[in-house]
Amino acid sequence: MDNGQLVYYGNTTYTIQKPAIVVVGLPKDGCWTRNFPIIRRSEIPNRIAAKGYNGFMAATIDYQTDDSCDDIFLYIPNAFHSYLVVYDYKNDDSWAFEHESFLPVVAESHFVFKKTFEYEMQIGIFSVILGYSDENGDRIAYYTKIAGTAQYSVSTKVLKNPRNSPKNYNRDDFKIMGYRGPKHQALRTVIDYMHGVMFYAEVQSNQIRCWNIRKPLNPDNIGVVFESEELLFGINAVIDSLGYLWFHTSHIPIDFITAIPLNLQEINSRVFRVKVEDAIKGTVCEN
């Protein structure tokens, strides 16, 4: 996902081009030839991008069949302007959704970094991940926002129908599932399908936490996978094909939203890895 902008220290932003979805080929000899061809570049239409360019940071891929790489939908949140873009790759078409649950919660936009530095991040919907597929190929799309501690969900059946855009859906299509608890804002989430467990990379709690999606969402059903003073600003979490949970913590985003200079004498980024089954062992997420 290319948001078409360059951002420099002090939040100086330059709009270079329109935001676009870019598909890059990975040929086997690409590293030797330095040739990674662009297979497709599809710009976000003006009718959508007019809501705000900056804020596109990631895309979630929803394969419709196992035997086609073209029959897919992409769900692309805009965190700064709080709307969700759906891209139909097969038909090269896109539309957007708006909902109050995408908006930042002002009362939960206050963050503390290293226990002393306080700052505001009024940022909305950020992470979208998919649950299990049903008999029709539809899934539950779980989404979170940075300024907020609630978990929400909507069926991809709703999102994949452009006639429901931007607000032509039923009022109960977008649901709140529960709350993680105070000061547990999450930047990234990921689901392990083998165990049915969602993991949260949290921004200010110094924790990676887990939730078994078969249970009601409340603080009693959320476990702590890892906790450390070194785990500052959890920025990403992924699960690989071997069953490892990887998570990444980085101080660097603080430099883009504050005036704090980057201290090159410190370790500013760390990457951790653990087997999912080991991570959830002994927690409320295990069963």
Side-chain angles (χ1 to χ4, degrees):
M1 185 63 216
D2 176 13
N3 68 9
Q5 295 185 326
L6 296 176
V7 181
Y8 293 98
Y9 177 77
N11 279 333
T12 302
T13 302
Y14 298 92
T15 299
I16 307 301
Q17 56 196 15
K18 293 181 180 179
I21 298 155
V22 182
V23 183
V24 180
L26 300 176
K28 292 182 179 180
D29 62 349
C31 290
W32 296 101
T33 63
R34 293 293 189 265
N35 179 28
F36 297 97
I38 294 178
I39 299 173
R40 180 186 295 190
R41 186 179 188 278
S42 181
E43 292 184 347
I44 302 296
N46 287 333
R47 69 180 186 278
I48 296 175
K51 303 175 187 295
Y53 275 26
N54 59 332
F56 293 115
M57 299 183 188
T60 300
I61 302 177
D62 184 7
Y63 289 93
Q64 301 303 291
T65 61
D66 293 333
D67 57 356
S68 173
C69 291
D70 292 327
D71 192 8
I72 62 176
F73 287 86
L74 275 68
Y75 309 116
I76 311 166
N78 187 298
F80 294 164
H81 300 278
S82 304
Y83 63 93
L84 178 66
V85 175
V86 179
Y87 176 64
D88 181 349
Y89 188 91
K90 186 176 182 179
N91 297 302
D92 193 23
D93 192 16
S94 55
W95 50 91
F97 283 87
E98 300 172 12
H99 192 267
E100 60 184 11
S101 64
F102 298 167
L103 299 171
V105 178
V106 176
E108 295 182 306
S109 64
H110 185 77
F111 295 80
V112 179
F113 182 69
K114 290 187 176 179
K115 298 183 179 180
T116 58
F117 184 79
E118 301 183 21
Y119 60 99
E120 297 288 325
M121 284 202 304
Q122 293 191 24
I123 301 177
I125 180 172
F126 192 87
S127 179
V128 179
I129 56 175
L130 304 177
Y132 297 101
S133 177
D134 63 18
E135 63 275 9
N136 298 315
D138 299 319
R139 302 169 179 262
I140 297 297
Y142 301 91
Y143 60 96
T144 56
K145 49 195 176 186
I146 294 182
T149 60
Q151 181 74 61
Y152 304 87
S153 68
V154 61
S155 171
T156 58
K157 182 178 180 180
V158 175
L159 300 179
K160 290 184 292 187
N161 187 345
R163 290 177 294 181
N164 294 328
S165 168
K167 296 182 178 181
N168 299 322
Y169 42 77
N170 297 322
R171 60 178 299 174
D172 60 346
D173 284 338
F174 292 82
K175 302 178 176 64
I176 185 167
M177 305 188 69
Y179 294 89
R180 296 185 298 277
K183 298 184 179 180
H184 286 290
Q185 296 92 334
L187 194 68
R188 290 291 184 192
T189 55
V190 64
I191 288 181
D192 175 70
Y193 297 107
M194 182 67 69
H195 299 87
V197 173
M198 182 183 298
F199 294 94
Y200 298 97
E202 297 188 342
V203 181
Q204 65 170 346
S205 71
N206 293 53
Q207 294 177 337
I208 299 294
R209 300 204 301 164
C210 62
W211 166 53
N212 190 316
I213 62 175
R214 300 176 183 88
K215 298 181 180 181
L217 177 59
N218 57 58
D220 291 338
N221 286 329
I222 297 179
V224 177
V225 170
F226 182 71
E227 182 174 16
S228 171
E229 292 294 326
E230 294 182 341
L231 190 64
L232 294 171
F233 208 94
I235 194 172
N236 208 353
V238 296
I239 295 173
D240 66 20
S241 60
L242 299 178
Y244 281 97
L245 166 67
W246 298 75
F247 46 95
H248 175 208
T249 176
S250 176
H251 303 186
I252 295 175
I254 298 294
D255 302 309
F256 286 93
I257 60 178
T258 72
I260 297 179
L262 183 66
N263 185 346
L264 298 180
Q265 305 306 313
E266 295 182 346
I267 297 176
N268 293 291
S269 291
R270 291 178 172 88
V271 177
F272 302 82
R273 187 186 76 164
V274 61
K275 274 281 190 179
V276 169
E277 57 193 41
D278 294 332
I280 63 176
K281 187 175 182 180
T283 72
V284 294
C285 308
E286 188 173 13
N287 298 310

